[in-house]
Amino acid sequence: MFAEENFARDTLTPCGQPDHEDCGLRLVLDRLGEKWTVMTMAELAAGPRRYRVLQRALQGITQRMLTLTLRRLERDGLVSRSVEPTNPPSVTYALTHRGETLAALVVGLVDWSRAHKNGIEASQAAFDMRRDD
Amino acid sequence: MFAEENFARDTLTPCGQPDHEDCGLRLVLDRLGEKWTVMTMAELAAGPRRYRVLQRALQGITQRMLTLTLRRLERDGLVSRSVEPTNPPSVTYALTHRGETLAALVVGLVDWSRAHKNGIEASQAAFDMRRDD
DNA sequence: CCGCATCCGGGATGATACTG
DNA sequence: CAGTATCATCCCGGATGCGG
């Protein structure tokens, strides 16, 4: 009870609860941690895309992973999937409103990554230097 | 140990394509995707912490994962590690300036997660419903 | 008190082939 | 074009024990 009374954090702590799992963080982080999720959302942030277009844009992704990634995003209500019963069928994916709000944050991460790429690589190199010597 | 466990090997995806700018994104996303990285940064965002304090705060983390997480953050120049040669030794971790700028974005994700937790769970339930029928 | 090493399993990822 | 299905692989991360 008094063991962890040092909880003066107001905004930053995940949830301030003993159990961090239920703050919903994992719900998002696990998805974001998947290999193609962020890049897929970034691509969709530019506008709706058809399956094949996405596959071409996300160089290196397999059909299986693209389908899997889109399904999970759809399940979370972040992406919508609309089928036009033409021949051959045409499936278009787009961000939902919820997806767009998350995508906005994701874009922040993307920008940060680009801005700090060199610095991070330098830090890593320095760190490895110190170790390998 | 860390050098041989190759951190840098598979962090870069092909991405040699002109259209997509993901190189450097993985550098950050892979780190953020790790299970404890975000919560660790969130905890450190509230102020410097000693090893044992972190372990208590991040309920459920093992020593191995805490050490691994901190090492990787240190390698990226996001966290600093300072040892005071007291007896027993005292090791304190803190966010670097770079780490603080990233932590600010991470906080955005945390807030977003909390705000959308219920909505996401509802979407998932609805999605699973439709599927099971 | 702080940190490192070994063993191991599960799940995410990948490769390939096939279908409406 | 837009997926499924199956099999193989690989790495994260958990449990545990040792060492400074």
Side-chain angles (χ1 to χ4, degrees):
Chain A
M1 204 176 192
F2 50 86
E4 343 253 328
E5 45 93 40
N6 251 348
F7 280 3
R9 44 288 230 301
D10 23 41
T11 58
L12 299 185
T13 305
C15 50
Q17 302 279 333
D19 181 10
H20 289 256
E21 296 302 328
D22 56 345
C23 61
L25 238 193
R26 291 252 75 89
L27 213 60
V28 177
L29 293 183
D30 286 347
R31 187 73 58 248
L32 254 39
E34 286 155 19
K35 188 167 184 177
W36 300 99
T37 302
V38 168
M39 288 193 295
T40 302
M41 289 192 68
E43 184 65 27
L44 287 177
R49 294 281 188 272
R50 291 183 53 181
Y51 185 92
R52 181 57 66 164
V53 175
L54 280 174
Q55 192 184 2
R56 272 194 299 266
L58 278 51
Q59 286 271 332
I61 197 172
T62 59
Q63 289 186 323
R64 173 189 148 84
M65 289 318 298
L66 178 55
T67 298
L68 230 48
T69 301
L70 289 169
R71 279 298 167 283
R72 296 194 272 229
L73 287 173
E74 188 191 358
R75 192 174 104 102
D76 288 348
L78 296 170
V79 157
S80 67
R81 174 178 182 272
S82 52
V83 185
E84 292 161 52
T86 58
N87 190 347
S90 145
V91 181
T92 301
Y93 293 89
L95 289 180
T96 61
H97 174 64
R98 182 188 298 157
E100 282 176 357
T101 64
L102 180 54
L105 297 179
V106 161
V107 167
L109 284 181
V110 171
D111 292 341
W112 191 95
S113 300
R114 269 203 235 114
H116 292 84
K117 181 197 172 194
N118 292 333
I120 289 178
E121 284 174 343
S123 293
Q124 291 179 347
F127 184 92
D128 295 343
M129 275 294 211
R130 255 175 278 141
R131 282 209 144 259
D132 293 340
D133 289 346
Chain B
M1 158 194 181
F2 293 103
E4 287 116 357
E5 224 166 57
N6 48 42
F7 281 105
R9 195 188 64 182
D10 51 4
T11 47
L12 275 313
T13 46
C15 143
Q17 297 306 314
D19 203 15
H20 229 271
E21 77 298 334
D22 115 81
C23 281
L25 190 51
R26 289 253 74 87
L27 213 60
V28 178
L29 295 182
D30 287 347
R31 187 73 57 247
L32 254 40
E34 286 155 20
K35 187 166 185 180
W36 301 99
T37 301
V38 169
M39 288 194 291
T40 301
M41 290 191 66
E43 185 63 27
L44 287 177
R49 292 282 188 271
R50 290 184 53 182
Y51 184 92
R52 188 59 70 170
V53 175
L54 280 174
Q55 193 185 2
R56 273 194 301 267
L58 279 56
Q59 290 253 337
I61 195 172
T62 60
Q63 288 187 327
R64 172 187 146 87
M65 290 320 298
L66 179 54
T67 299
L68 227 50
T69 301
L70 289 169
R71 277 298 161 286
R72 300 197 266 228
L73 287 173
E74 187 191 358
R75 193 175 103 101
D76 288 350
L78 296 170
V79 157
S80 68
R81 174 180 184 269
S82 53
V83 184
E84 291 161 52
T86 58
N87 189 351
S90 144
V91 183
T92 301
Y93 295 90
L95 289 180
T96 61
H97 174 64
R98 183 187 298 156
E100 283 175 358
T101 64
L102 180 54
L105 297 179
V106 161
V107 167
L109 285 181
V110 172
D111 292 342
W112 191 96
S113 300
R114 263 195 249 140
H116 292 82
K117 182 199 172 195
N118 291 333
I120 289 178
E121 284 175 344
S123 293
Q124 290 179 345
F127 185 91
D128 295 343
M129 276 294 213
R130 256 174 280 139
R131 251 184 138 265
D132 293 339
D133 290 345

